[in-house]
Amino acid sequence: LDVSRLFDHSEECVPELLDVTTVDETTILIGQENPLGSAVAIVATRLPRERLIAVVGPHRMDYRQADAFLNEVREQVKV
């Protein structure tokens, strides 16, 4: 896994990630549904005004913890 290449490619994937995420909900992308490739998983959510925040990690990451983190960020952004 070339992390540098992964992050370089991530900017190109933002429009696709915005298409598959919704405001106030968490989306989990694993395998072929993941625009960054099958080597990682994405837990993402869209924020108001076409903003996106995501946690990128291994398939075995703690998805509940990533979801809780994104929920907290969403609440802080609303303030």
Side-chain angles (χ1 to χ4, degrees):
L1 175 65
D2 184 345
V3 176
S4 177
R5 188 175 300 154
L6 177 84
F7 282 103
D8 288 344
H9 178 61
S10 66
E11 190 172 327
E12 299 167 10
C13 296
V14 169
E16 186 175 346
L17 288 170
L18 285 170
D19 286 343
V20 299
T21 56
T22 57
V23 176
D24 291 333
E25 289 187 23
T26 301
T27 301
I28 299 173
L29 302 168
I30 304 169
Q32 291 182 345
E33 52 188 34
N34 179 351
L36 286 179
S38 62
V40 295
I42 298 176
V43 181
T45 190
R46 190 168 5 145
L47 302 172
R49 298 191 309 263
E50 295 300 306
R51 295 178 293 167
L52 177 79
I53 185 166
V55 175
V56 178
H59 295 166
R60 65 184 182 285
M61 77 166 115
D62 186 334
Y63 293 100
R64 279 187 269 187
Q65 185 176 18
D67 181 45
F69 170 75
L70 293 177
N71 286 331
E72 182 63 30
V73 170
R74 271 198 306 263
E75 289 304 311
Q76 294 300 318
V77 169
K78 288 180 182 179
V79 175

